[in-house]
Amino acid sequence: MDEPQITEDLIAAHGLKPDEYDRVLEIIGREPTFTELGIFSAMWNEHCSYKSSKKWLRTLPTTGPQVICGPGENAGVVDIGDGQAVVFKMESHNHPSYIEPYQGAATGVGGILRDVFTMGARPIAAMNSLSFGAPSHPKTRQLVNGVVEGIGGYGNCFGVPTIGGEVRFHPAYNGNCLVNAFAAGLADSDKIFYSAASGVGMPVVYLGAKTGRDGVGGATMASAEFDDTIEEKRPTVQVGDPFTEKRLMEACQELMLTGAVISIQDMGAAGLTCSAVEMGDKGNLGVRLNLEDVPVREENMTAYEMMLSESQERMLMVLNPALESEAKAVFDKWDLDFAIVGETIAEDRFLIMHNNVVKADLPLKALSGNAPEYDRPWVETPPAAEMEPVPGVDPIDGLKALISSPNYAAKQWVYEQYDHMVMADTVVAPGLGAGVIRVHGTPKMLAFTSDVTPRYVAANPVEGGKQAVAEAYRNLTAVGATPLATTDNLNFGNPEKPRIMGQFVGAIKGIGEAVAALDMPIVSGNVSLYNETDGKAILPTPTIGAVGLIASADHLIAGHARDGDVALLVGATKGHLGQSALLTEVFHREDGDAPHVNLETERRNGEFIRDNHAMIRACTDLSDGGLALAAFEMAEAGGIGIALEIADTPTLFGEDQARYLVACNFDQAEALMIAAGKAGVPIVTVGKFGGEQVSFAGRAAPLLELSGIYRESFAAAVA
């Protein structure tokens, strides 16, 4: 087959700017072949090279005594004691999920699971953070149904519990939904597998499913804005098979016990290209591939297609040749392909052969190390304008407005489609706060949460970035967990626009400050840029996934409020209504500043909750909807009424940070207040649990009526 002529249009179609193509010519000293152009396109696009974000990502705190492996590998690795480690990461599958919701979301789950088990960990938990357009938008219902079905379809078949996450709606996501997938696994801390190749002349082995044409060009597509050609991009979306992935995981786990694995890397974005280049680059070696040996499921595949296919459920490894027969036997047993497709070489070369014809011959280091790196111009987000006064609202009407919105209504329609009990180690299921999983065979538990408030980030990127981390810290604390570390999924618009780049820079600064102050280093993550359609950007959405450790069941806070329990508010309330849920849902306004986050106060109040866990029956942090929504949710979860002695709008619906609502009996409340006085932590009694009403200073509604609204509104909007 004749190769296409390299033209300006072809270069542009591969996402390379003219100056980037000039750099390609400079590096190789000639015009690239079509396959080489595809390889440069794959390795130098935003999705794989982080060319707009590297400069700022380097400023994030990524180390700590608990960190075994920080960013740069397939997933982060954090010590949880007793020779065990938790391995976790969050990644986006935004563009594919908008084009083809079911497969886009399903393969997002598959990809993040591979990132975890390629490190030698067995997945134990999944989460997702989903952002959709306005419920009234004609595409939203189809997207929500397809994405949720795809996540459930893949995760349930694979057999990992989905134990947390978030779902939001906003018109800014009308043309570009966000699907951020998180996975965590357990491994022995001395048996972590890395991707750096070592040894010259070592076999490079292809593992798993066969290669097809699905997903060719997927990483390049994920690095561009959408426009009216979106339907043409459907073939770039991969197709997943969770049962094959389950076999692949079991085969890899078995393979790792043989001692045959020198290094291993999953084939994700840019498939065979990216996995081979990363392994060679990290090991300071070259790689030669013989494509005629690649297992394929379609006829007459070209070198270009094989190198750029993003077919799922595939791995690449460097093999100890002395154990080839043992390794092959494992994959034969699991009915998966095992093919030696190349070898490591001493020279700095990425040599691609197909039927003895050279299809690509490139300096390997240049593909990753010499990728463009930009210091994009950016402008600071201007301070929020002085806010117009917020009228007072009837507190019950205000609460009804929140709980009838799909943003704040109960999400059981979503999480009931996910299996959260598989593996039988789930302690706290999705629905309220962080999810909790037992560390099987030990008294320990791990807590997981995912948080961000995009409207805060849009108004004030620094404070919004801090707040995302602070809320994750509070969600972990509220179940009694000590926060360990974080992963970030940074979703933004076009970084070539200084305003958007300014949002990114501000959010990174805020996140960096917060993870340092709260001892929650970033150990892995993903950047997703160009989330725009026809020039309209999403809200800046830097999602924070966080993991915490609970030493034993004695430290777990997971009870429900009971009749007669006292409601205590921990933390100071000033009544901040800027960018609040009440402002959005009742007044259809998005103005004012984001709430200020005092990180010292966050840490102090969090430590107070954890230090006094024995006196606390139930706990939730205060975030969207303030005290009113937190009090209702805690009452509803316990199936019991609540009476608060408060009716004024700022106190009930303000979104001041560093606050928790606690339920405990009278004696515990008394002891907690004494402890708070000694610790210098503000605490006040705000009401009492009991009866069948939700009451704010006498304004009341039956819990049953409110619960019906809360439980039915989400499905009514999207089902």
Side-chain angles (χ1 to χ4, degrees):
M1 177 180 163
D2 291 336
E3 294 214 335
Q5 188 179 350
I6 307 296
T7 63
E8 286 183 11
D9 286 348
L10 191 65
I11 294 162
H14 280 75
L16 291 171
K17 302 276 171 63
D19 60 321
E20 293 175 341
Y21 184 68
D22 288 343
R23 188 184 296 198
V24 170
L25 297 178
E26 190 182 314
I27 287 169
I28 64 176
R30 56 176 170 80
E31 190 176 84
T33 66
F34 182 53
T35 302
E36 288 174 336
L37 179 67
I39 288 169
F40 271 106
S41 164
M43 291 306 300
W44 283 14
N45 66 56
E46 194 72 57
H47 193 74
C48 293
S49 74
Y50 295 88
K51 59 190 175 189
S52 297
S53 55
K54 269 183 194 168
K55 169 185 164 75
W56 297 101
L57 295 177
R58 290 190 191 104
T59 67
L60 289 170
T62 59
T63 58
Q66 72 275 42
V67 178
I68 294 171
C69 175
E73 274 293 339
N74 289 288
V77 185
V78 175
D79 192 351
I80 59 168
D82 308 311
Q84 291 179 301
V86 60
V87 179
F88 63 95
K89 188 183 186 184
M90 186 173 246
E91 268 203 343
S92 59
H93 230 223
N94 303 335
H95 285 50
S97 299
Y98 188 78
I99 297 168
E100 179 53 68
Y102 184 95
Q103 290 297 351
T107 51
V109 175
I112 200 67
L113 289 168
R114 281 196 306 282
D115 278 337
V116 166
F117 70 72
T118 193
M119 303 283 295
R122 180 169 286 274
I124 57 161
M127 289 191 298
N128 51 78
S129 177
L130 312 176
S131 304
F132 298 105
S136 58
H137 188 271
K139 200 164 167 77
T140 297
R141 195 174 294 241
Q142 174 217 345
L143 287 171
V144 174
N145 281 269
V147 164
V148 170
E149 201 179 329
I151 290 168
Y154 204 102
N156 296 354
C157 293
F158 180 85
V160 63
T162 300
I163 47 84
E166 50 188 344
V167 187
R168 69 181 58 83
F169 298 86
H170 191 280
Y173 304 102
N174 280 349
N176 204 129
C177 66
L178 301 183
V179 175
N180 294 175
F182 170 100
L186 278 177
D188 291 341
S189 48
D190 61 349
K191 294 185 180 68
I192 306 297
F193 287 81
Y194 297 101
S195 57
S198 64
V200 174
M202 295 295 169
V204 173
V205 184
Y206 174 114
L207 307 169
K210 288 178 166 54
T211 293
R213 290 187 171 94
D214 53 321
V216 172
T220 302
M221 177 271 292
S223 305
E225 293 181 33
F226 282 153
D227 53 28
D228 54 12
T229 65
I230 185 170
E231 284 303 317
E232 297 168 18
K233 298 185 167 101
R234 191 175 297 275
T236 62
V237 178
Q238 312 90 328
V239 177
D241 177 356
F243 298 109
T244 298
E245 176 118 334
K246 175 73 170 171
R247 286 185 289 125
L248 179 62
M249 180 193 72
E250 297 297 351
C252 285
Q253 300 262 318
E254 206 170 309
L255 178 72
M256 288 163 173
L257 295 174
T258 67
V261 180
I262 293 175
S263 67
I264 190 164
Q265 170 82 35
D266 83 293
M267 289 194 222
L272 197 50
T273 291
C274 197
S275 54
V277 169
E278 286 189 11
M279 290 171 85
D281 180 50
K282 288 174 186 169
N284 290 312
L285 291 167
V287 173
R288 173 192 167 116
L289 296 178
N290 303 312
L291 297 187
E292 64 274 12
D293 297 325
V294 170
V296 293
R297 63 168 186 262
E298 299 185 45
E299 291 183 5
N300 303 317
M301 285 191 72
T302 64
Y304 178 95
E305 290 170 331
M306 281 189 264
M307 291 308 295
L308 298 185
S309 166
E310 293 183 9
S311 294
Q312 296 293 286
E313 293 86 43
R314 301 180 302 158
M315 312 285 269
L316 198 65
M317 79 159 176
V318 176
L319 169 75
N320 177 347
L323 294 169
E324 180 187 333
S325 58
E326 289 91 331
K328 186 175 186 312
V330 170
F331 275 74
D332 287 347
K333 169 187 160 184
W334 288 100
D335 194 23
L336 292 164
D337 276 295
F338 177 100
I340 295 175
V341 296
E343 64 176 354
T344 57
I345 55 179
E347 305 95 322
D348 175 26
R349 287 173 84 189
F350 192 38
L351 181 58
I352 310 301
M353 307 293 293
H354 193 200
N355 297 320
N356 293 317
V357 176
V358 176
K359 291 294 184 178
D361 190 355
L362 300 169
L364 187 143
K365 280 281 180 195
L367 291 169
S368 55
N370 283 8
E373 186 173 328
Y374 296 118
D375 185 359
R376 301 262 188 216
W378 60 279
V379 294
E380 208 166 292
T381 302
E386 192 67 33
M387 197 172 133
E388 293 290 318
V390 180
V393 297
D394 178 281
I396 293 296
D397 289 347
L399 178 63
K400 283 181 176 177
L402 293 181
I403 62 176
S404 62
S405 161
N407 276 311
Y408 306 110
K411 306 295 191 301
Q412 81 274 1
W413 180 88
V414 176
Y415 60 73
E416 284 175 0
Q417 296 186 54
Y418 306 150
D419 188 340
H420 56 265
M421 294 307 294
V422 65
M423 300 174 78
D425 281 322
T426 302
V427 179
V428 178
L432 190 64
V436 179
I437 295 278
R438 280 184 211 90
V439 178
H440 202 72
T442 79
K444 295 179 296 198
M445 301 174 194
L446 287 166
F448 304 94
T449 186
S450 160
D451 297 286
V452 64
T453 309
R455 63 181 186 278
Y456 290 174
V457 188
N460 187 329
V462 176
E463 290 301 320
K466 281 159 63 174
Q467 193 275 339
V469 177
E471 188 174 341
Y473 174 87
R474 292 197 302 272
N475 275 330
L476 295 175
T477 293
V479 294
T482 301
L484 282 179
T486 48
T487 180
D488 58 6
N489 202 152
L490 307 173
N491 308 273
F492 290 81
N494 184 344
E496 295 168 49
K497 297 177 180 176
R499 180 180 69 84
I500 302 289
M501 195 64 207
Q503 293 176 339
F504 182 85
V505 171
I508 287 273
K509 288 180 176 178
I511 290 167
E513 276 184 57
V515 297
L518 301 174
D519 284 344
M520 299 167 72
I522 300 274
V523 296
S524 58
N526 172 240
V527 178
S528 175
L529 303 176
Y530 296 96
N531 289 291
E532 298 200 2
T533 298
D534 296 327
K536 293 178 183 168
I538 60 161
L539 290 179
T541 311
T543 312
I544 298 295
V547 179
L549 181 65
I550 302 171
S552 69
D554 294 342
H555 290 77
L556 176 69
I557 306 171
H560 291 303
R562 295 182 191 166
D563 189 18
D565 276 356
V566 179
L568 293 170
L569 178 58
V570 175
T573 300
K574 293 180 181 173
H576 182 95
L577 287 170
Q579 300 297 333
S580 64
L582 183 83
L583 204 59
T584 305
E585 300 295 345
V586 174
F587 299 103
H588 309 293
R589 287 166 50 183
E590 290 186 9
D591 56 325
D593 198 3
H596 179 71
V597 179
N598 183 314
L599 294 165
E600 286 180 19
T601 305
E602 288 284 2
R603 182 166 187 142
R604 181 198 67 194
N605 293 2
E607 286 173 350
F608 170 76
I609 294 288
R610 294 194 301 275
D611 288 347
N612 294 282
H613 62 86
M615 296 181 233
I616 298 170
R617 194 190 317 278
C619 180
T620 183
D621 85 302
L622 270 62
S623 51
D624 285 317
L627 175 60
L629 188 56
F632 165 75
E633 287 179 343
M634 190 178 271
E636 205 269 349
I640 196 160
I642 184 170
L644 299 189
E645 302 140 7
I646 298 160
D648 75 282
T649 298
T651 307
L652 273 180
F653 295 98
E655 297 181 3
D656 307 281
Q657 300 296 294
R659 298 186 301 158
Y660 300 84
L661 183 65
V662 166
C664 48
N665 66 33
F666 183 81
D667 290 344
Q668 291 168 329
E670 207 168 36
L672 207 56
M673 293 184 89
I674 292 167
K678 289 177 181 172
V681 171
I683 190 168
V684 59
T685 304
V686 289
K688 204 170 199 179
F689 291 92
E692 297 176 356
Q693 305 265 328
V694 173
S695 168
F696 301 124
R699 282 287 294 126
L703 176 64
L704 202 60
E705 176 198 337
L706 296 174
S707 184
I709 296 169
Y710 181 61
R711 293 279 162 189
E712 292 162 17
S713 294
F714 189 93
V718 302

